Amino acid sequence: MGKGDPLRLLRQDLLDMPPYEPIEPIDVLAEQLGIAEESVIKLDGNENPYGPSPRIHDALARFPYYHIYPDPLQRQVRQALADFLGLEMEHIVVGSGCDELLDLIGRAVLCPGDGVVNAPPTFGIFPFVAKSYAARLIDVPRKEDYSLNLAAIAAAVREGAKLLFLCSPNNPTGNTVSREELERLLALDTLVVVDQAYVEFDGEGFASLVPNAANLIVLRTFSKWAGLAGLRAGYGIFPKAIAELILKIKMPYNMNVAAQAAILASLADVDTLRQRTQAIVAERERLFGMLTSLSWLRPWPSRANFILCEMKSSSKGSLAAREVWRRLQEKGIFVRHFDTPELRDCLRISIGKRDHSDRLLETLQEIGASVGY
Ligand SMILES: *Cc1c(COP(=O)(O)O)cnc(C)c1O
């Protein structure tokens, strides 16, 4: 038996770090409410309401090599992605979700104390990665309209930052970085990571810029547009030398074969997946119009598969986002609630199917009416 408290051997900075707050899975939500899983309306995780390509089931059922380790160099799936993107496979690395690639980028780049620039409100995994490598997080808040503060980002990078995390379309605000803005940021002396988890819902894609930009990394995923969130399938487009390092430092078998088979089956069914993506975009626009009919809520225009809504204050009844969130939950409708310094009193609503939006709006109207709107 060892002497002393083994906890003193752990990294104190990690013991002190707040946990990333993930969303709850559907069975847990259903159990909390005492309702059937099928009647939960889950609009809190930006997941795809149509599920994956119908071809996935067959591809996974028939896959013959579950007993064999995957190819550490991921050649087949990287080549398929290269063909899909029109890029060379040397630029591409596949990960167990785009989250794993964010972690690998942190591992490849960050020593304790290195600067990382982040532009909140944005994806919570960025500060999580910075902190897990004991980096120095430099927050440069977005402007009132959630656009980037380019001058402040440039100033922060000039004081020394190895990484700049961007997200376009941005989670949770739904707006995008323009190509012109990105080009200005690429001129800075830092690696620029653009997380494009939602690009398929009509954001502008930047993957094609990577071969001509030495410091640009673009991350994409099958979680949102292709409905594979549960299988964990993401990929990054890197400058070749960086891709080589990521391949070297990742765990050899980071990508399980089921996820790889699912990626290949999805890429063989892109037309179906694109039709669904278009349906989600159309539903987003319809829901946006419906939400503007509520006098107490301000929806922000979105280029992703969710809509950020801010509570308006008024002289009538007042509704806090937290209260709306709680009352929606009582009706089996789950959305995401934010109340942070950069994002006061907001809800983020993922786009579901038509009847999900209808039930959501009905319930929001009831909630509004109950306080006099
Ligand atoms: C959902 C999301 C991801 C997650 O990607 P995975 O491939 O599921 O790990 C990454 N980035 C952003 C901004 C997201 O919202």
Side-chain angles (χ1 to χ4, degrees):
M1 291 265 265
K3 284 187 199 147
D5 179 4
L7 289 187
R8 80 188 195 289
L9 304 173
L10 303 183
R11 270 175 57 185
Q12 193 57 47
D13 61 323
L14 293 184
L15 289 169
D16 294 342
M17 181 171 112
Y20 179 74
E21 280 181 32
I23 44 168
E24 298 283 15
I26 212 157
D27 53 328
V28 176
L29 300 178
E31 181 159 346
Q32 274 172 12
L33 276 176
I35 59 176
E37 282 180 32
E38 310 79 69
S39 36
V40 169
I41 299 185
K42 192 173 185 309
L43 306 178
D44 60 353
N46 301 340
E47 289 134 332
N48 194 312
Y50 297 97
S53 154
R55 296 197 191 189
I56 296 300
H57 307 285
D58 210 36
L60 292 183
R62 287 177 197 225
F63 185 76
Y65 299 120
Y66 287 119
H67 59 302
I68 305 290
Y69 281 111
D71 173 12
L73 293 178
Q74 313 165 334
R75 280 164 284 205
Q76 192 186 8
V77 71
R78 285 167 64 218
Q79 187 58 58
L81 283 164
D83 296 343
F84 173 60
L85 296 167
L87 294 171
E88 293 172 278
M89 72 176 259
E90 288 77 11
H91 288 291
I92 298 168
V93 183
V94 184
S96 182
C98 168
D99 289 351
E100 187 196 17
L101 294 164
L102 285 164
D103 182 55
L104 285 167
I105 292 167
R107 193 184 306 168
V109 176
L110 298 173
C111 295
D114 284 343
V116 175
V117 174
N118 185 44
T122 189
F123 190 40
I125 296 284
F126 301 154
F128 179 83
V129 166
K131 286 176 196 157
S132 62
Y133 291 99
R136 186 168 40 88
L137 184 67
I138 308 160
D139 272 335
V140 180
R142 288 163 180 261
K143 299 183 191 170
E144 290 271 285
D145 64 356
Y146 299 129
S147 63
L148 295 173
N149 186 339
L150 292 188
I153 289 176
V157 169
R158 284 195 198 100
E159 282 177 28
K162 287 172 126 186
L163 271 181
L164 163 61
F165 281 124
L166 300 174
C167 187
S168 182
N170 186 43
N171 177 8
T173 58
N175 60 327
T176 56
V177 176
S178 71
R179 178 163 172 162
E180 195 203 340
E181 287 173 314
L182 179 61
E183 279 171 355
R184 281 179 61 188
L185 295 170
L186 287 172
L188 300 170
D189 186 16
T190 188
L191 280 172
V192 179
V193 178
V194 189
D195 182 333
Q196 298 219 277
Y198 301 98
V199 72
E200 293 85 359
F201 299 98
D202 82 349
E204 186 185 0
F206 298 128
S208 64
L209 302 182
V210 172
N212 298 311
N215 58 339
L216 173 63
I217 297 172
V218 172
L219 299 179
R220 293 178 54 171
T221 177
F222 284 77
S223 292
K224 312 290 162 50
W225 76 291
L228 293 184
L231 268 177
R232 316 305 300 126
Y235 60 102
I237 302 104
F238 301 84
K240 288 183 183 177
I242 301 179
E244 210 173 305
L245 177 63
I246 299 285
L247 283 168
K248 185 166 88 179
I249 66 170
K250 74 176 182 60
M251 287 293 168
Y253 309 122
N254 66 317
M255 263 310 274
N256 74 76
V257 293
Q260 295 195 29
I263 290 178
L264 297 174
S266 301
L267 290 176
D269 199 16
V270 166
D271 289 346
T272 309
L273 294 171
R274 287 211 173 115
Q275 279 165 21
R276 292 170 173 187
T277 311
Q278 282 164 14
I280 293 168
V281 168
E283 186 55 26
R284 175 187 76 206
E285 296 310 309
R286 192 179 80 93
L287 178 62
F288 185 86
M290 289 157 67
L291 292 170
T292 55
S293 73
L294 299 167
S295 61
W296 47 277
L297 199 73
R298 174 180 185 193
W300 285 81
S302 168
R303 307 276 293 275
N305 65 342
F306 52 80
I307 297 177
L308 182 75
C309 298
E310 209 175 290
M311 299 300 123
K312 288 188 203 164
S313 43
S314 88
S315 51
K316 282 205 204 165
S318 84
L319 272 173
R322 202 188 153 72
E323 175 65 7
V324 178
W325 169 78
R326 194 187 61 75
R327 290 175 64 174
L328 284 172
Q329 217 167 67
E330 282 174 1
K331 302 280 173 154
I333 302 173
F334 291 82
V335 301
R336 193 89 192 242
H337 158 250
F338 296 98
D339 199 16
T340 62
E342 291 91 16
L343 209 53
R344 278 279 166 245
D345 216 18
C346 287
L347 299 174
R348 189 196 65 195
I349 302 170
S350 308
I351 307 304
K353 293 183 178 172
R354 203 181 167 86
D355 55 313
H356 298 150
S357 306
D358 292 341
R359 284 232 348 238
L360 170 78
L361 192 78
E362 227 171 83
T363 312
L364 288 173
Q365 281 166 343
E366 284 165 24
I367 294 170
S370 73
V371 294
Y373 285 101

